[in-house]
Amino acid sequence: MRKINVITLGCSKNTVDSEHIMARLAAAGYEVVNDSDRTDAQVVVINTCGFIADAKQESIEMILRAAEAKKAGKIEELFVFGCLSQRYADELRKEIPEVDEYFGARSWDGILERLNVKNKSELITDRRLTTPDHYAYLKIGEGCNWMCGYCAIPLIRGHHVSVPMEQIEEEARKLAERGVRELIVIAQDSTYYGMDLYGERKLGELLRRLCRIEGIRWIRLHYAYPAGFPDDVIQAMAEEPKICKYLDIPFQHISDSQLKAMRRRHTKAEAYALIERLRRAIPDLALRTTLMVGYPGETESDFEELIQFVKDVKFDRLGVFTYSEEEGTYSARELSDDIPQEIKDGRAARIMTLQREISLENNRRHVGNVEQVIIDSRQGDFYVGRTQYDSPDVDEEILIPADRRRLMKGHFYKARITSAADYDLYAEVLEHIR
Ligand code: SF4
């Protein structure tokens, strides 16, 4: 049995792609591992990220490490796919010829062909999970039609393509049958789901159908786009107890001149109105967002509007990026990267300093509350868990002293929040829910 190491870099969408290819390889009798710390296996497959400079660098370094291992005879075959390969296959072929073949972001079935593995349609909803067994990402679409000024994703992943609803349901059911309790719904823009396939937005219907799957306890929504946010999604989130009161919705900026220059298809007023609509329907909604500073033309007053936005909304979770020019994008072609890096970094730091205060203030409001907590792991003196308001890897953690009772990974417990820190909460367990 040949051993294949599938190494995944980049975002949760890459994780799902790797899990699909791993399931096919395992079904064909390969011993499949997923270990980015090792580059020794008969076959190594690297799923790359090509989104921004740092991610590209990380992918190139991983390919070079594997190429060295191949030259040293530790690897027989080396394949690369994903976003970096989609964008720069020709350059990579010249620079790192040790790689047997480079494949695009959506053409990883070429790797199966090279390994004489039949791409069986009946395996289309099979996954070999690389996340902890109790949660899984559920990719409902690929690509994006929005063409935001700074973003290379439509150039890499192409137009939005929705996965048929029945296929998503079957994949989710299979995940539930093997013990997954939490589904994290992802796409480049989850709210656009169905527009291509059904001619209308179908995310609300999809979420309700996923709620019917036995065994699934939490359904979490990531990557929503503000413009045209569907009312039936808000309704489903308000009415369905399985849908986490949590929404990841990147706003990027708020000043109308920056939103226009970024080609974001909504205005400042519409963003505020959407947040007001969401919070009226779902009062305890945890909002996660991503902001970008230093985009071409961002004035001090644009930035002050952004600071005011953060103060007004008091997001529960917030990340900030500094603009970096990506070749082929509208901003790289038409605008000049005119904000000095130290200004960009300074603005990002100001936002995160403000957000730390807001996060502590928000967290203090949770003290005394009794919440459902799922246990992800044990780290030293604490069990680490999450409430419905926290997504894995990106959000806060609930820390539960481990000296009181033994807790089970992937199990739910009723817990009282006992104290708050800026980015974590402490809790005590009251009851094992299962
Ligand atoms: S919606 Fe997101 S993925 Fe699509 S172009 Fe804009 S930033 Fe990129």
Side-chain angles (χ1 to χ4, degrees), residues 13 51 143-155 158 187-189 223-226 250 252 262-264 292:
K13 282 144 250 162
F51 184 41
C144 187
N145 293 8
W146 291 111
M147 304 302 283
C148 300
Y150 49 84
C151 184
I153 291 174
L155 308 172
Q188 257 82 37
D189 170 13
Y223 302 106
Y225 186 79
Q252 307 298 358
M262 286 178 167
R263 307 205 309 177
R264 300 282 286 176
M292 179 184 286

Side-chain angles (χ1 to χ4, degrees), residues 181-193:
R181 323 297 301 276
E182 177 182 2
L183 293 173
I184 303 163
V185 174
I186 59 171
Q188 257 82 37
D189 170 13
S190 304
T191 44
Y192 200 85
Y193 178 74

